[in-house]
Amino acid sequence: MNGNAHIKAVYAEIRRRNQGEVEFHQAAAEVLDSLGPALDRHPEYAGTGILERLCEPERQLIFRVPWVDDSGTVRVNRGFRVEFNSALGPYKGGLRFHPSVNLGIVKFLGFEQIFKNALTGMGIGGGKGGSDFDPKGRSDAEIMRFCQSFMTELYRHLGEHTDVPAGDIGVGAREIGYLFGQYKRITNRYESGVLTGKPVAWGGSHVRTEATGYGAVYFAEAMLATRGDGFHGRRVVVSGSGNVAVYAVEKVHALGGRVVACSDSSGYVVDEDGIDLGLLKDVKEVRGARISVYAEAKPSARFSARGTVYDVPCDVALPCATQNELGREDAVALVKNGVIAVAEGANMPCTPDAMAVFQEAGVLFGPGKAANAGGVATSALEMRQNAARDSWTFEETEARLASVMREVHAECRATAEAYGGNPEDYVLGANAAGFLRVARAMTAQGVV
Ligand code: GLU
C-alpha cells in the first residue's frame, strides 16, 4: 500500500471492518494507491472524512430470496444491494446473478462503480447488487419466479431518483423484463427509469446491449491513437464470450482488426480467420453451449481446455470475462508476445501484479473504471430518454456513447498528467479524476 499515513490508516480500517472481503480490499487498495497526489493537492478533503465516508457504503441490504423450482422444491438464495454513494446522483449499477456472488464481491463492484460513474460525467451515484442464484440450467419459468421474489424485497429501495439497477453477469434483457414487471405490479407505477437495460420495444435504449463492448474498443482505440496507431490490421484477443465480449469482437472487426481468440470458463478457441460473430452468438446466446462447440463447427478453429486465452500472441488484449481472470503469468506471456495495449472490458479482470507488469513494460493499460464505462454511460442515456419520454436512433445514441468514451479517455490522460506527470498512467488518471468529482460533491453536501 502506497500513500501517506492517512491513506494507510483508512486501508487498515477497511480490512479490519470488512474481514474476508478480499475483492473489496483489492478494489479499495487500487483506488487508495492512486490518491496520494490528489490528497496532497487538496488537503481540504482530509478534514471532512472524505476517504472514510467513501469507503463505507451508505446502505447495505442483504435479504432472503425464496422461490419454488419446477419440481416444487423450495429454494433459498441470498440477495444483495449495496448503495455505496449518492453524491452525484441516484445509486446506479448492475445486478449480478452468479454462484460466486457474496457481500465482498458486491462491495468491490459497487466501489468501482462510484468512480466509473463519476468519470462518465452523467450524474449517477454508485451501487451494485445481485444474488448467489445460478441461472445456468434453470428454466424460463424458474428465472421468472426468482426475479419476482428478488424484486418483491428490493422494490422498496428502488426508484428512478433513488436507485436504478441494470444488468451484469447473469442478468440480461429477459431478467430486466421480469424484474420490471414485478416492480410495476407492486408499485402500480410505469416507472420506466427505475431499471435500465430494458428491451428497446418498451423503454430501452438503442446501443445499451452493445455499449460495454463497443465502449471498451473505443477506449482502446483512443489509447492507440495517442501513439499514432489503431485497430486496423491488428491481432486481438478477447476473453469471455458473454455480452461484453461479443460486442467487443463486433467493434474490433468493424474497425479493421481481427479477433483471433475468445474464451469461456471451460477453455478458449483460436480462429486465425477471425472469430465468426454469427457463429459465436449462435453457440453462446442461442444454444447456450460451451465454446468448444464453436471449434467443432468451424474447420479453421481449434479449442483448448489447457492454458489461457492470453497464451495466444496478440497486439491488443481485451479482458471481458470476470474479476482476476488475468494474472501475473498471463501478463508476462502477453508482454513477451508483444502486446501493445490492454483495455479492461470486465470489472477488475487484471490482478494488481498483472497491472504492474503492463505498466513496467510500457503497455497502454486502460483500467475497467474507464474502459468499460460505456455500459453504464448508455444506461444514463436510457434514463435521459425515459425522463423525456423520448427515444433516440441507434446512430444518435452510438455517437453519444463514442463522445462519452473520448471524454473519459481525455479526462484520464489530463488528470494523470496533472497529478503524476505521466499521461499514460490511466490507472492514476481514472482513479484520481473519479475521486475528485465525487469528493467535490461530497464536500459541498456536508457530512452526510
Ligand atoms: N454492470 C455494468 C457495469 O459494470 C453496467 C451497470 C449499469 O448499466 O447500471 O458497469
Side-chain angles (χ1 to χ4, degrees), residues 92-95 109 113 116-117 128 164-169 196 208 212 347 372-373 375-377 379-380:
K92 183 82 197 86
L95 299 171
L109 291 163
Q113 206 83 45
K116 183 197 306 192
N117 295 4
K128 201 84 183 192
V164 182
D168 195 83
I169 295 171
T196 60
R208 178 62 192 87
T212 313
N347 289 312
N372 74 36
V376 76
S379 278

Side-chain angles (χ1 to χ4, degrees), residues 16-212:
R16 189 197 66 77
R17 192 180 267 173
N18 307 281
Q19 286 181 28
E21 298 176 4
V22 289
E23 290 85 1
F24 176 43
H25 303 167
Q26 182 185 335
E30 187 209 294
V31 172
L32 290 172
D33 246 344
S34 295
L35 296 186
L39 289 169
D40 289 346
R41 196 88 58 93
H42 299 277
E44 67 272 21
Y45 296 145
T48 53
I50 291 288
L51 284 190
E52 290 80 350
R53 287 189 286 141
L54 252 179
C55 295
E56 181 67 16
E58 291 177 15
R59 192 174 295 109
Q60 306 183 56
L61 309 160
I62 304 181
F63 50 96
R64 182 174 71 195
V65 188
W67 57 284
V68 181
D69 73 15
D70 286 347
S71 71
T73 305
V74 173
R75 303 273 177 173
V76 176
N77 284 99
R78 186 171 283 183
F80 301 91
R81 186 75 180 163
V82 173
E83 298 180 333
F84 226 118
N85 193 292
S86 61
L88 292 174
Y91 309 107
K92 183 82 197 86
L95 299 171
R96 177 176 291 190
F97 291 170
H98 191 270
S100 65
V101 168
N102 57 41
L103 185 60
I105 295 275
V106 178
K107 274 159 77 172
F108 120 62
L109 291 163
F111 190 71
E112 294 272 301
Q113 206 83 45
I114 303 172
F115 305 95
K116 183 197 306 192
N117 295 4
L119 272 177
T120 68
M122 299 182 79
I124 38 179
K128 201 84 183 192
S131 173
D132 58 1
F133 172 70
D134 186 359
K136 260 203 194 96
R138 289 291 167 199
S139 71
D140 205 63
E142 289 177 319
I143 301 278
M144 181 179 78
R145 288 195 294 275
F146 176 81
C147 288
Q148 289 176 339
S149 181
F150 187 89
M151 186 53 92
T152 300
E153 177 57 35
L154 191 61
Y155 86 94
R156 70 193 79 240
H157 302 288
L158 305 184
E160 62 178 327
H161 301 295
T162 308
D163 185 350
V164 182
D168 195 83
I169 295 171
V171 178
R174 173 180 60 167
E175 290 73 20
I176 293 295
Y178 294 146
L179 290 163
F180 185 82
Q182 186 72 351
Y183 182 87
K184 177 167 70 72
R185 187 179 194 191
I186 295 173
T187 61
N188 194 30
R189 281 162 67 84
Y190 202 106
E191 193 182 325
S192 293
V194 73
L195 288 167
T196 60
K198 301 178 293 294
V200 174
W202 47 271
S205 174
H206 283 293
V207 198
R208 178 62 192 87
T209 310
E210 297 84 355
T212 313

Side-chain angles (χ1 to χ4, degrees), residues 26 238-240 263 308-310 318-328 330-331 344-351 354:
Q26 182 185 335
V238 174
S239 71
S263 63
T308 79
V309 72
Y310 304 112
L318 303 172
C320 296
T322 194
Q323 66 272 359
N324 291 328
E325 53 152 309
L326 193 165
R328 189 174 186 285
D330 300 313
E344 294 186 321
N347 289 312
M348 208 168 75
C350 298
T351 64

Side-chain angles (χ1 to χ4, degrees), residues 233-269:
R234 291 296 188 184
R235 282 172 67 87
V236 181
V237 159
V238 174
S239 71
S241 47
N243 178 258
V244 180
V246 161
Y247 292 101
V249 173
E250 185 170 281
K251 190 49 79 181
V252 168
H253 287 170
L255 295 176
R258 184 160 43 107
V259 178
V260 291
C262 62
S263 63
D264 69 8
S265 55
S266 70
Y268 66 93
V269 290

Side-chain angles (χ1 to χ4, degrees), residues 360-371:
E360 275 157 35
V363 172
L364 291 164
F365 177 76
K369 279 182 208 83

